[in-house]
Amino acid sequence: MKLTLTLTATLLLAAWFQANSTAEPATVAVRESFAIKTKSLAVTLQVGADGRLYQQPVQAGSSPAVPVRDDEFYPQAGDGYVWEPALEVTHADGNTSTVLVFDSLTQTNETADITATRIRLHDSAYPFYVTLCFKAHLDEDVIEQWIELNHAEKSAVTLQRVESSSLLLGGDVYLTHFFGDWAKEMLSPITEKITPGTKVLDSKLGVRASQFRNPSFILSLGGKGNETNGTVLAGSLAWSGSFQCEFDNYGQGVRALTGINPFASAISLPAGKSFVTPTMLWVWSTNGLGDMSRKFHRWARDFGMRDGHTPRQVLLNNWEATGFDFDFQRIVGLYDPAKEIGTELFLLDDGWFGNKYPRVNDHAALGDWQPNRQRLPNGLAPLASEAVRRGLRFGIWIEPEMVNPKSELFDAHPDWAIRQPKREVELQRHQLVLDLTRPEVQTQEWNMIRSILSVPDISYAKWDCNRYLTQPGSPYLSPARQSELWVDYVNALYALMEKTAKTFPATELMLCSGGGGRADYGALKYFHEFWPSDNTDPTLRVPMQWDYSYFFPVMALASHVTHWGNRPMHFACAVAMSARFGMDLDLTKLSAQDKAICAGAIIAYKQIRDVTQLGDLYRLEDPHENFRGALNFVSPDRRHAVVFAFQLKEGANRPVFPQGLDPAQRYTVRELNPAPGREAIPQEGNSLTGAELMAGGVRPSCANAIEASVIELAPSAVSAADTLHAFGTGSR
Ligand code: GLA
């Protein structure tokens, strides 16, 4: 092993990196440690005497262990490692083993807050190269990790499994994961100790990450964490296809292997071509789940989504009002009521396209994206410009990846749909998925998106995806490449999403996939928000939004007021106000009282959206465990805050204790959009310090099941008396 660098030299080199934007790769001495570091996490690595790269297990407290073979950082199958490997490759000559040895290390400071690390490894017997890539966000304690791989063997190698990350954890490890289904996404959090054996969370749906479980989870080290205590690590795989997160407890530690699901996904990689895995996101805290989420949210607003510093406008969707049954006049008739009540953006949902097979229900026309001539004789442009003329933005629903067998597109190109030969075609919602690995399909989908989003005055789109793969056969790919469909599809999808985001930078985009099937950071970076679930019953949205908020800032969670569950309008509005507020209601059918509640909620939302969407979230009372759920948000300068209480069951009213306020600042307490007929809250209009509010709490107006209370803590105007008091010359 070539020993060319001492630790001091590494530090000197790091200083040099800081002063220079590019860095030369360096080698590291045997037994010398180096780390991928954030403010409070260090993943410590060491090159062993055998040249392999080892990791000191991450655990609560210190971990002085000397690495043994089980501690390899990115273990490979076939040459001695007997647990779940991170990499499994069949080389060009048929050899199923890989031996990766350390080659070089490059660390550069991209900004004052971001350090990029690249660790290059190579096979000891083959021209086969693996680079472990990291971006460490120092202040946010976020590490992004992915793998780049290439080779110069005589012919293609087969990648059986390439994990994005394979972090080693020591001590007792608890896993929190989120089971669900359509309309029940994220509703069943489960926390369990990872006992010896392998626990797998995965999906095999191809075109979306989830239906039954999300590729996001929490690991608690050394004991279960809670909101304010514990060593916790959030993990989220940025991938919108089949994923696998495996937690392999091999007796001495737990290895968390996360990446593309290797299930039926072998990839043939020709020499000279690179393979890049999706990014795995890790977020660390030694102060519990609340701190972990706030860091995750800050990272997400900066890097994980589009326009993460622009509060979202109030949206009105026509789906519940009209379903498929509308024409130009009916839609335009919805604009004035929408404007009057205070909404800012109108979204035209499904049903506007198809001529030979009109889209009058969900049986036909996906693929035929021409406006229906009977309903919209002059196309989309007049609908959009009419909305803008009346002071609303205009958005449109699309589902670019799908085709109904009953469509002109399918008539012309039956071989463009994904299906298995010699098997009876299985439809979901009467539709099939178009095969995005086929260049003509890529062109067709892009042309469709471009022509719709180019219509003047369209500034928002809901990109839906209402089925997943159950018969993963590509009529385009050769028989030998069928197993590449899953990965090639998602990469082609990302290329399409990226092109859309770049070509239409001012168009806001919502991800929707049969509810929350695309609630992942792989797609979100091209989008502004996602649809967490088709289930908009606010009593279920309270726990659902709570669970999503472990990983996503609330500005990414579309939350619409609807009649689902038939809940009181005041409660439904309060729940939607705590995320990205929208409505899916027929405003003309609302009672005068409900209309006033909605209008009041919109005014209140506009007043607090800078706080809820750009500020810090504190989860206070867990709705899974209590008779109510409670949260508060604090603006980045801590001057302005909002408290939400959502009462789900009967229970004695008691104060909610906000967190994160400035103890010395005075806040004026005011209930926003109070429910009709309820008594004012006892502290209404009082000016109290942050310390007083955090210690004594605020008492919400809700006291019965399915009631909510939204309380603003606004910066108090500084009175003369306060000023004197502050200078110690006055008494009160
Ligand atoms: C999906 C969405 C709905 C609506 C319909 C339209 O089910 O979740 O909000 O857009 O498609 O067909």
Side-chain angles (χ1 to χ4, degrees):
M1 161 116 303
K2 207 167 140 209
L3 309 179
T4 58
L5 198 74
T6 65
L7 190 59
T8 324
T10 313
L11 293 174
L12 286 172
L13 205 60
W16 186 89
F17 290 158
Q18 211 147 7
N20 298 271
S21 55
T22 54
E24 293 302 316
T27 52
V28 174
V30 160
R31 295 271 184 248
E32 194 161 45
S33 295
F34 61 97
I36 295 141
K37 274 190 185 159
T38 63
K39 197 170 59 186
S40 51
L41 170 67
V43 178
T44 306
L45 307 176
Q46 194 178 90
V47 179
D50 56 2
R52 294 177 190 264
L53 186 64
Y54 293 92
Q55 187 209 323
Q56 277 187 6
V58 173
Q59 66 188 87
S62 61
S63 52
V66 176
V68 295
R69 187 64 207 277
D70 293 344
D71 302 339
E72 202 172 345
F73 186 46
Y74 194 71
Q76 314 97 55
D79 188 45
Y81 187 83
V82 294
W83 309 106
E84 285 295 302
L87 182 73
E88 193 183 345
V89 171
T90 308
H91 292 275
D93 62 2
N95 189 335
T96 56
S97 68
T98 299
V99 176
L100 292 180
V101 293
F102 179 82
D103 204 347
S104 64
L105 165 73
T106 312
Q107 283 193 307
T108 48
N109 293 321
E110 286 192 357
T111 66
D113 190 49
I114 301 175
T115 307
T117 301
R118 293 175 67 84
I119 304 167
R120 195 171 143 97
L121 312 172
H122 68 269
D123 191 289
S124 57
Y126 291 89
F128 182 87
Y129 311 98
V130 172
T131 306
L132 314 177
C133 311
F134 305 84
K135 232 179 219 197
H137 299 258
L138 310 187
D139 267 354
E140 292 80 15
D141 280 324
V142 172
I143 293 180
E144 301 179 37
Q145 183 184 357
W146 70 96
I147 308 299
E148 296 174 7
L149 194 154
N150 60 60
H151 70 93
E153 297 189 23
K154 286 202 175 64
S155 57
V157 305
T158 307
L159 307 177
Q160 315 284 0
R161 167 204 298 247
V162 188
E163 302 288 0
S164 295
S165 177
S166 65
L167 205 59
L168 205 53
L169 307 157
D172 285 347
V173 181
Y174 290 80
L175 168 69
T176 303
H177 56 102
F178 301 86
F179 191 70
D181 198 345
W182 177 80
K184 295 186 200 128
E185 292 89 336
M186 302 291 278
L187 270 183
S188 310
I190 297 164
T191 298
E192 56 190 307
K193 189 171 171 177
I194 303 176
T195 52
T198 306
K199 171 88 191 174
V200 179
L201 309 175
D202 78 345
S203 73
K204 304 181 184 71
L205 306 174
V207 299
R208 66 168 73 159
S210 71
Q211 165 95 359
F212 311 109
R213 48 185 81 95
N214 194 277
S216 302
F217 56 84
I218 300 162
L219 297 167
S220 307
L221 310 186
K224 290 184 194 178
N226 61 31
E227 284 297 322
T228 48
N229 287 301
T231 300
V232 290
L233 185 62
S236 190
L237 183 72
W239 182 243
S240 312
S242 306
F243 72 91
Q244 189 184 68
C245 301
E246 260 188 295
F247 305 90
D248 187 25
N249 182 335
Y250 58 93
Q252 304 302 316
V254 174
R255 187 179 289 283
L257 297 124
T258 57
I260 292 173
N261 196 337
F263 168 76
S265 288
I267 289 166
S268 169
L269 186 71
K273 276 209 152 186
S274 292
F275 181 79
V276 182
T277 68
T279 298
M280 181 64 198
L281 300 165
W282 294 110
V283 188
W284 173 259
S285 173
T286 48
N287 297 310
L289 302 167
D291 180 54
M292 175 201 84
S293 297
R294 289 186 287 279
K295 289 173 181 164
F296 212 156
H297 298 170
R298 274 181 229 135
W299 171 88
R301 282 191 286 262
D302 285 343
F303 305 103
M305 60 193 297
R306 287 179 58 203
D307 299 333
H309 295 276
T310 310
R312 308 312 195 212
Q313 292 189 309
V314 183
L315 178 152
L316 178 75
N317 192 357
N318 72 306
W319 183 240
E320 195 163 309
T322 69
F324 288 103
D325 183 20
F326 61 82
D327 61 9
F328 178 83
Q329 289 308 337
R330 179 129 194 243
I331 295 300
V332 169
L334 301 175
Y335 291 167
D336 284 341
K339 180 70 188 162
E340 274 161 29
I341 207 165
T343 64
E344 298 160 302
L345 164 64
F346 183 88
L347 169 64
L348 177 64
D349 214 286
D350 196 356
W352 56 268
F353 50 91
N355 283 297
K356 181 172 177 191
Y357 307 101
R359 181 82 173 161
V360 290
N361 53 39
D362 62 9
H363 291 231
L366 289 174
D368 302 345
W369 295 99
Q370 298 75 35
N372 178 278
R373 282 188 291 274
Q374 258 165 7
R375 294 171 165 212
L376 308 174
N378 299 309
L380 291 171
L383 264 187
S385 60
E386 196 58 27
V388 169
R389 203 174 67 77
R390 290 163 196 240
L392 294 167
R393 288 171 54 211
F394 184 83
I396 190 82
W397 179 94
I398 54 175
E399 197 176 8
E401 300 152 74
M402 300 291 157
V403 65
N404 287 118
K406 210 168 157 191
S407 67
E408 292 182 71
L409 185 71
F410 191 81
D411 287 348
H413 302 289
D415 54 338
W416 283 13
I418 292 175
R419 56 203 282 190
Q420 296 284 20
K422 302 182 186 168
R423 308 288 173 211
E424 198 176 320
V425 171
E426 192 177 276
L427 302 178
Q428 276 180 357
R429 211 192 185 209
H430 315 285
Q431 64 199 57
L432 292 166
V433 183
L434 289 166
D435 182 0
L436 254 183
T437 65
R438 181 187 282 274
E440 299 94 309
V441 171
Q442 294 167 8
T443 306
Q444 184 269 342
E445 289 189 23
W446 169 239
N447 286 343
M448 165 264 182
I449 292 167
R450 191 183 45 192
S451 78
I452 295 168
L453 297 191
S454 298
V455 171
D457 293 329
I458 290 188
S459 60
Y460 183 98
K462 173 178 175 183
W463 180 320
D464 216 332
C465 165
N466 276 310
R467 77 156 291 171
Y468 50 81
L469 292 188
T470 55
Q471 296 174 311
S474 163
Y476 172 72
L477 294 174
S478 66
R481 291 190 56 211
Q482 286 297 312
S483 62
E484 292 170 31
L485 171 63
W486 307 87
V487 173
D488 284 6
Y489 184 98
V490 180
N491 284 329
L493 176 68
Y494 286 160
L496 196 61
M497 288 175 165
E498 186 175 8
K499 207 171 347 173
T500 305
K502 283 198 171 142
T503 311
F504 300 98
T507 304
E508 231 176 301
L509 296 177
M510 181 214 266
L511 275 167
C512 181
S513 181
R518 282 184 175 164
D520 65 77
Y521 279 110
L524 192 59
K525 69 169 179 274
Y526 309 113
F527 284 71
H528 293 76
E529 60 181 292
F530 64 85
W531 187 233
S533 176
D534 283 345
N535 194 334
T536 47
D537 178 340
T539 62
L540 295 174
R541 278 299 184 111
V542 171
M544 201 182 264
Q545 291 175 189
W546 174 281
D547 291 344
Y548 273 119
S549 81
Y550 287 121
F551 312 100
F552 298 99
V554 299
M555 75 190 314
L557 307 180
S559 191
H560 291 185
V561 179
T562 73
H563 289 298
W564 194 315
N566 230 356
R567 308 300 180 184
M569 186 57 78
H570 184 266
F571 185 83
C573 284
V575 173
M577 277 164 67
S578 70
R580 185 256 192 266
F581 189 101
M583 297 188 144
D584 199 341
L585 294 171
D586 187 342
L587 299 178
T588 60
K589 293 200 180 121
L590 290 184
S591 68
Q593 176 167 301
D594 280 356
K595 216 175 189 173
I597 290 171
C598 290
I602 292 172
I603 292 170
Y605 171 77
K606 289 177 181 171
Q607 197 169 318
I608 58 170
R609 63 181 158 194
D610 282 7
V611 182
T612 56
Q613 298 188 25
L614 309 181
D616 277 339
L617 166 67
Y618 293 81
R619 285 180 299 259
L620 307 174
E621 295 178 29
D622 185 342
H624 295 286
E625 292 167 5
N626 296 289
F627 68 95
R628 71 181 180 200
L631 317 162
N632 79 282
F633 296 87
V634 183
S635 64
D637 63 4
R638 298 208 287 167
R639 289 177 52 72
H640 196 174
V642 194
V643 179
F644 288 85
F646 306 114
Q647 186 148 343
L648 298 167
K649 297 181 198 142
E650 297 308 327
N653 192 356
R654 57 175 195 224
V656 175
F657 296 89
Q659 294 174 15
L661 305 177
D662 177 347
Q665 198 208 293
R666 290 194 161 275
Y667 299 85
T668 302
V669 181
R670 203 166 39 199
E671 178 160 27
L672 296 178
N673 196 30
R678 234 183 271 165
E679 270 185 34
I681 56 170
Q683 291 139 314
E684 179 73 34
N686 291 0
S687 173
L688 298 163
T689 64
E692 287 163 341
L693 287 162
M694 290 190 286
V698 283
R699 192 175 284 275
S701 66
C702 50
N704 299 300
I706 329 296
E707 289 184 351
S709 183
V710 183
I711 299 168
E712 183 185 33
L713 307 175
S716 300
V718 181
S719 67
D722 282 332
T723 315
L724 287 175
H725 185 66
F727 284 97
T729 52
S731 61
R732 300 194 315 154

